[in-house]
Amino acid sequence: MPDQPAAWVYTVARNAGVDRLRRESAAQRRLSTQARVLEAGTTERLDSASTADAPVAIAEYGQVGDEQLRLMLLCCHPALGREAQVALTLRLAGGLTTAEIAQAYVVPEATIAQRLVRAKRKIRAANIPLTIPADLSERAEVLTAVLGAIFNEGYLAHSAAAGTLTRADLADQAILLTATAADALPDEPELAGLLALELFHRSRDAARVDRDGALVRLQDQDRTLWDRSMIARGYAVLAHALSRRALGPWQVQALIAAEHTRERTDWERVVRYHDVLITMGPSTVAQLSRAIAVAEVDGPESALTDVDRITGLERYHLFHAARADLLERSGRAEEAALAWDRAAGLTANPAEAAYVALRRASAATAARRDLGPIPRPRDF
Amino acid sequence: MKYLLILASDPSLPSPEPGDAGFEAYMAAWSEYTQALTAAGAHHSGEALQPAETATTVRHDAGATTVMDGPFAELKEHLGGYYLIDVDTLDDAIEWARRVPIGTGSVEVRPVFPTDEF
C-alpha cells in the first residue's frame, strides 16, 4: 500500500475508463478558468464598492496546496445551501458542465444554472470570502456531507427518469473528489471514512442489478462480480482513517459496509456499530437500519417492535419496505402486502419500483394462499 | 461592510428577570458582548426590543393600509433585538453571530445594501 492510499485510488479510478479520462482532462482545463469565473464575479463588486481597498478575493493557500481541494472547500461554505454547495462543487471542483450536472440530477439545465447564479449572487452580496479558514474542521465536515450526497445520488438515483439504478459517472466523480480531499486533509479522517464507504458500495456495482436491470439482494449477489481490489482499497483507506483515532459517523458507516463485504456478516457487530452511530447523532434512518440488523440477531418480531417505534419516516419508501419484509417473515402476509403497497407509492427509482412490485405481488399471493414467509431484501 | 444581526428566540423559554439569581450574570454577558464589538471597532448600533406581544403591524396592500395587533410573522421564535455591525466579510459577521449570548435562539446575519452604490 502506498503512503497515500487515496492518491493511489485516484490514479486507479482515473484509469478506469476512456470516458473517465476524457472528462478528467476536460476537468483540468475547466478547473482554472472556473475558479477565475467565480472570483472575477466577486472582485468586480468589491472593486466597485470600495476602490480604496484591494479586493481580497484571492484565496490564501495556507496548508491547502491543491487547487481542486481549495475549490471544494470554497464551494462548501456553510452559509450556502446544500443544493448550491453540491452544484458548485460539481461545477467548479468536478469540472462538470451545467448540462452534465442537470443530466445527472435529472432536472432541467435552467434549474442548475439558476442554483449557480443564486449561489454566486449570495457570495457577492453577502461578501462570502473566497479564502480557506484557519480552522478547517467545520468546512471539512460540510465537504464530507456534500461529497456523500453526491455519491448517494450517483449510487442510487432518486429519480424515476434516471432509468438505471446506478449513475456510475456521478458516483465516480464523488470518489475522485473524496480521494483528493481525503489525501490532502489527513487530519480529517471522516473524509477517508466516506471514501472507504464509497469504495465498499461501488465494489458491488456489477452485482447489484441483473442483466434485465432488476435489483439483486445482497445475499443473492454473485460475489465473484464484486470488485475485490476495490474492497481491499476500502479496507486500507478505512484502517488509515481509524488510526487517526477520531471516530465519526462516516467511519462507523464504513465499518458497517465493511462488515457486509465479509463472507459471513457478524450481525451482532452490525447492531453494535449502529448503537455507536446513533449515539453520534440521532438519526431515524440509522434506527431503521439497526432494526434490520436486529432481525438477523433476535428475529423479525423483535425488529418489528423496534421499527414500529420509529416516527418520522412515513414518507420514506425503505421504511415501509423494511416493515413489509419483517411482517412477511413474521407470517403476517396480509399486513405485509399493505406495507408493500405503501412502499410502492413512495418508490421512484425504476429498479427499486420493479422490485417492490414483485414483492407486493408475492405477498398478496401469500396472503391469499396463506403461504409461509418468503426471502427478504437487504441491499436496496 | 455592514451586517444586521437579527436576534430571535422562543419567548416560552425562561429568561432571567430582574431580581432573579442569574439576572446579573445574564446582563453582564450582553454588556461584555457589546463591549467586545465596540473594542473591535465592529459596533454600529444595537437595541433590545420589547416582547412581540407589544408589536403592532401596519400591513400595506398596494397603497391601502391595515393596522394589526402582533408581529408580521407568526413564528416560534420572536424578534428580540438586533445589532448592526461593520466588519469585512460574512465570515467575520458569522463569528460575531456565534458569540451573541442568546442562550437558545437564532441569529440571522443579513448583509446591508451598501449605500455608496446609489
Side-chain angles (χ1 to χ4, degrees), chain A residues 38 42 56 59 68-90 92-93 118-120 122-147, chain B residues 3 88-95 97-98 109 111:
Chain A
L38 181 64
T42 314
V56 278
Q68 199 174 28
L69 176 76
R70 191 180 71 84
L71 282 170
M72 277 190 258
L73 290 170
L74 295 179
C75 296
C76 291
H77 195 287
L80 297 168
R82 180 53 40 88
E83 285 185 342
Q85 291 165 345
V86 165
L88 283 172
T89 301
L90 287 173
L92 302 182
R118 283 210 193 108
K120 288 180 188 177
K122 178 165 183 185
I123 289 169
R124 243 187 330 268
N127 198 21
I128 293 178
L130 296 180
T131 51
I132 308 297
D135 178 9
L136 282 179
S137 56
E138 184 186 34
R139 209 60 81 85
E141 199 179 316
V142 175
L143 175 60
T144 314
V146 164
L147 294 173
Chain B
Y3 295 87
D88 287 340
T89 69
L90 181 67
D91 283 0
D92 301 319
I94 289 173
E95 249 343 278
R98 281 192 214 273
V109 181

Side-chain angles (χ1 to χ4, degrees), chain A residues 10 14 17-32 94-95 176:
Chain A
Y10 183 87
R14 215 162 74 144
V18 177
D19 188 52
R20 202 48 289 138
L21 284 171
R22 179 193 59 76
R23 176 165 289 162
E24 274 313 300
S25 55
Q28 292 304 326
R29 280 199 305 278
R30 289 185 201 119
L31 202 59
S32 41
L176 289 177

Side-chain angles (χ1 to χ4, degrees), chain A residues 266-284:
Chain A
D266 181 341
W267 288 101
E268 283 185 30
R269 193 183 281 170
V270 172
V271 172
R272 283 202 301 277
Y273 286 151
H274 278 97
D275 288 336
V276 175
L277 192 59
I278 290 163
T279 61
M280 287 173 164
S283 152
T284 45

